[in-house]
Every structure is written in structure tokens, then in C-alpha cells.
Amino acid sequence: MKDNIKNLKAYVPEEPLDVLMERYGLDRVVRLSANENPFGTSPKVRDTITNSFLESNRYPDGSAEKLRETVSNFYQVAQEQLVFGVGLDEIISLINRTFLTDGDEVLLNAPTFSEYALNAEIEEAVPVYVPVKSDGHIDFDALKQAINDKTKLIWICNPNNPTGTYEDLAAITEFVKTVPEDVLVVIDEAYLEFVTDETDNSAMHLVNDYENLVVLRTFSKVYGLANFRVGFGVFSPKLANYMQTVRLPYNLNSMSQQVAVTALQDQDFVKKTVQKTKEERELWEDWLRENKIIFYHSQANFVFIQLDNANKVAEYLKTKGFLVRNGLQPGWLRITIGNTEDNLQIRDLILEAK
Ligand SMILES: *Cc1c(COP(=O)(O)O)cnc(C)c1O
């Protein structure tokens, strides 16, 4: 077996809520650790599930034609630019598998989403970290300076998980321009829909100008479809072709394809989710300022906050039925923005614990 795999740590998935309820003797556990949509899913998705006839004995549409057409029309990108995955997780893994080999270097911001590094290491590539600036923003100058002959891939998570900070399209464009053509730049826009500081903010259309650019999206966050595992990448047609060769032929089941189509067509649900998130995000920021807690200005559906005893606070919250994410950066917690009532409750509990 590959020696390097022996030293890798698996991604730690969320524990099932019923297991936690039993362990802590609670009637209810509120998960604010996974950036899921606290407002549910489009009600139309439910109808799709009950009405759709699942042909269990048949393989699904391996090229996801209907979903491809719908996404292509909605985002105004060509159908042959799209590669769908079992969650964005699969696309992240596929990019690493397709483009990296032993000794290649991958540039990452620190902190950022842990799966980029894990997947690089599986391919025996080397993650090289560039710390974010003191305000949480990406240090583009330092990233540029870190590019060398071995650099093959650069990950930009925008807004960044876990900092929540957003880089505007001008900054992204400026950066992409300076990257050598043989280095792939991947912009993970898992949270882009939650950005309200700038409209018209996606880097998706830059893919037409820069063949070495890839933009990623998921249905797990704003669309509230985490359980169905649908994500996609927008590539230049040439790179999309390589990815299609490496991808498993029947990765997305029919139900997932169908619910993603339905969810995309209900932009009303998306608008409501974004509006609610924005309102609650502002309340969080007011509260953080009032209580003199250090945080980064978030454009995502979570806040990233600094507390001296962050791990203890996380443990205390868990016993009270609130799950948050610690261990991403020492002394910091990432908390998904929940519904109004849960946000009020968890904020009181944080004051109690701190
Ligand atoms: C949640 C998340 C993903 C993965 O999403 P799935 O589509 O559920 O696999 C990818 N990137 C970032 C930054 C995320 O936070």
C-alpha cells in the first residue's frame, strides 16, 4: 500500500444527532458545526421525492443531462464545462487525483478547508501553507511569492471556510491574471450565495478567459441538500474532459439529480435563506462587538470567533445541546448561523461558559 496513507488522519464526520441526544441525555441537539441550512430545503424538493418514481434496478443517467442543462442555463456556462460530483467533496478529490502526482506542491491558505490538504497528501503531493492576514483575508502577495516550479495547484476558498472572509471579484481576477498558465487555480465557492457585500460576485465566468481556472459550487449549503450529495465544478472544456475520464461513470443517483434540478428552480427559497442569514449574521456581529469578542467579518453562513477557552466553551455548549466546530485554529470556534431562537440561546450559553 502507499506508505503516505498510513500517516494520514481521516476527515472526522459529524456524529448522528440521535447518538448525541442519547449520550448527553438531551431531547434536542442543534448542530451548528457543519454549516448546514437551518431553514431546511425548498418545500418543492419534498414533492419531488414523494412523486418521483425511482427505478431502482436501472443505472442513473451517467452524464446527468437534465441537471447539466438546468445548471448550464441558470449560470450561463456551457454544458461541456460542467463536471458533477457526489458532493463537492468528490470534485475536490477528483481534481487532486487528476492533476497531482508525487512531489507536486499545492498552495493553501491557513486556515482553510482541511480536505484540500488531505486529498493532496493521498496523491503524495505536498501542501504548502500561506497564513491569512490578521483580518482573516487571503494574503495574495504571499501566495504569489510562494509559487515555484513545483507548484501545480492553488486553492482559494471564497468565502473562506473557516474564516468566513470574502475576497472581491477584482482581487480574485487580479490574482488569477498573475498565476502561470501551467498552475491550476481552484476557487471553491461553496458559500458564495451568502455574500451580500458585493453583488455579481462569482468567478465562474472567468473560466472562459483563463483555461487554468476552476470554480466549484455545491447544493449542500444554501440549497439545503447536504444529504443528497451534489456538487459541481466549472472547468475549461479541455480540463472537464480529463476529469470526466477519471470520474466514476454513475456517480450521482437519479434522486440526487432530480432534487438538485428542483432546488435550483426554487430561487425564492435561496433568496429567503440568504436574507435570513444576513439578518442573523448582522445580529451576531453586533453581539460580538458588544461583548468585545474578536471575530472576522463573515460573508458566509457561519461566524468565526476567538475565545481564550474555546475548547472548554465548545464542550460546555455540547452538554447543553449545541454543536459548534473547534480545532480549526487554536482558540477559535466556527459557529453556523442558526435560526433566530437558536442564535439567541447559544449566545447566552457562550457568555455563561466564557
Ligand atoms: C461544505 C464544503 C464543501 C463540501 O460540500 P459537499 O458538496 O457537501 O461535499 C466544499 N468546500 C467547502 C469550503 C465546504 O465548506
Side-chain angles (χ1 to χ4, degrees):
M1 87 166 267
K2 286 160 127 181
D3 267 344
N4 62 320
I5 307 260
K6 293 180 189 159
N7 302 320
L8 294 179
K9 285 204 190 75
Y11 184 86
V12 182
E14 298 289 332
E15 288 185 277
L17 296 180
D18 49 349
V19 171
L20 290 163
M21 285 193 283
E22 200 170 312
R23 185 182 309 151
Y24 294 100
L26 296 161
D27 308 331
R28 187 176 95 107
V29 171
V30 182
R31 180 150 72 204
L32 300 178
S33 51
N35 302 337
E36 294 153 327
N37 193 327
F39 312 110
T41 310
S42 161
K44 302 201 167 76
V45 163
R46 191 181 290 263
D47 298 340
T48 308
I49 296 168
T50 48
N51 296 338
S52 84
F53 171 62
L54 193 62
E55 286 187 304
S56 306
N57 58 323
R58 303 286 178 204
Y59 285 111
D61 175 357
S63 52
E65 288 298 341
K66 180 86 194 299
L67 179 58
R68 182 177 302 281
E69 198 187 309
T70 312
V71 169
S72 154
N73 287 336
F74 184 77
Y75 289 109
Q76 294 295 300
V77 294
Q79 294 195 23
E80 65 268 23
Q81 291 186 284
L82 296 168
V83 181
F84 292 94
V86 177
L88 198 45
D89 286 350
E90 190 189 22
I91 300 292
I92 292 169
S93 152
L94 273 179
I95 288 173
N96 283 277
R97 210 165 152 211
T98 308
F99 298 105
L100 295 182
T101 185
D102 316 22
D104 286 346
E105 287 187 6
V106 178
L107 290 187
L108 300 164
N109 299 291
T112 196
F113 193 44
S114 64
E115 286 193 31
Y116 310 145
L118 175 63
N119 281 284
E121 289 185 282
I122 291 171
E123 305 308 327
E124 303 187 60
V126 182
V128 175
Y129 290 97
V130 175
V132 298
K133 295 191 286 188
S134 59
D135 58 2
H137 280 274
I138 289 174
D139 191 341
F140 285 112
D141 289 333
L143 266 184
K144 276 179 216 167
Q145 278 165 21
I147 298 174
N148 65 36
D149 290 349
K150 289 188 184 153
T151 312
K152 289 291 150 58
L153 201 56
I154 305 174
W155 286 94
I156 308 266
C157 186
N158 194 37
N160 188 29
N161 178 2
T163 56
T165 46
Y166 167 70
E167 309 303 334
D168 63 30
L169 189 54
I172 295 277
T173 311
E174 197 49 47
F175 176 70
V176 173
K177 257 187 210 165
T178 63
V179 175
E181 281 171 19
D182 57 346
V183 177
L184 200 62
V185 181
V186 187
I187 307 193
D188 182 342
E189 296 188 338
Y191 300 98
L192 191 91
E193 293 91 344
F194 295 105
V195 173
T196 54
D197 284 353
E198 183 180 47
T199 50
D200 205 11
N201 40 26
S202 174
M204 216 180 265
H205 295 103
L206 289 180
V207 176
N208 294 327
D209 302 331
Y210 301 93
E211 240 187 25
N212 58 330
L213 180 66
V214 180
V215 174
L216 309 182
R217 289 293 187 93
T218 176
F219 283 89
S220 295
K221 306 286 161 55
V222 82
Y223 288 98
L225 285 181
N227 202 342
F228 285 95
R229 318 300 304 122
V230 187
F232 65 93
V234 183
F235 296 77
S236 68
K238 189 170 118 198
L239 296 190
N241 243 332
Y242 295 138
M243 292 280 290
Q244 298 291 16
T245 313
V246 178
R247 176 178 71 81
L248 295 178
Y250 297 113
N251 56 346
L252 280 190
N253 68 65
S254 308
M255 188 77 100
S256 295
Q257 295 182 29
Q258 180 55 47
V259 295
V261 168
T262 306
L264 193 70
Q265 286 164 344
D266 189 358
Q267 286 300 312
D268 204 38
F269 176 80
V270 173
K271 280 199 193 99
K272 280 184 190 143
T273 294
V274 172
Q275 182 55 30
K276 245 347 239 168
T277 304
K278 175 176 187 276
E279 284 163 24
E280 291 298 323
R281 194 167 60 197
E282 283 165 4
L283 292 173
W284 264 104
E285 292 199 348
D286 291 345
W287 179 86
L288 289 163
R289 256 179 241 115
E290 267 164 38
N291 288 284
K292 303 202 165 41
I293 296 172
I294 292 175
F295 65 96
Y296 295 137
H297 174 55
S298 171
Q299 283 289 281
N301 67 341
F302 52 85
V303 287
F304 197 48
I305 72 172
Q306 190 189 28
L307 294 169
D308 292 336
N309 49 354
N311 290 337
K312 264 172 100 177
V313 174
E315 268 313 303
Y316 178 76
L317 292 172
K318 206 189 246 185
T319 64
K320 299 286 179 184
F322 283 87
L323 303 179
V324 300
R325 195 74 157 78
N326 58 341
L328 298 169
Q329 174 160 289
W332 290 72
L333 294 181
R334 191 194 67 197
I335 305 172
T336 306
I337 295 165
N339 64 34
T340 310
E341 195 183 316
D342 290 338
N343 291 333
L344 285 168
Q345 258 193 53
I346 193 176
R347 288 198 290 259
D348 284 345
L349 290 168
I350 291 171
L351 290 185
E352 250 172 65
K354 133 181 148 69

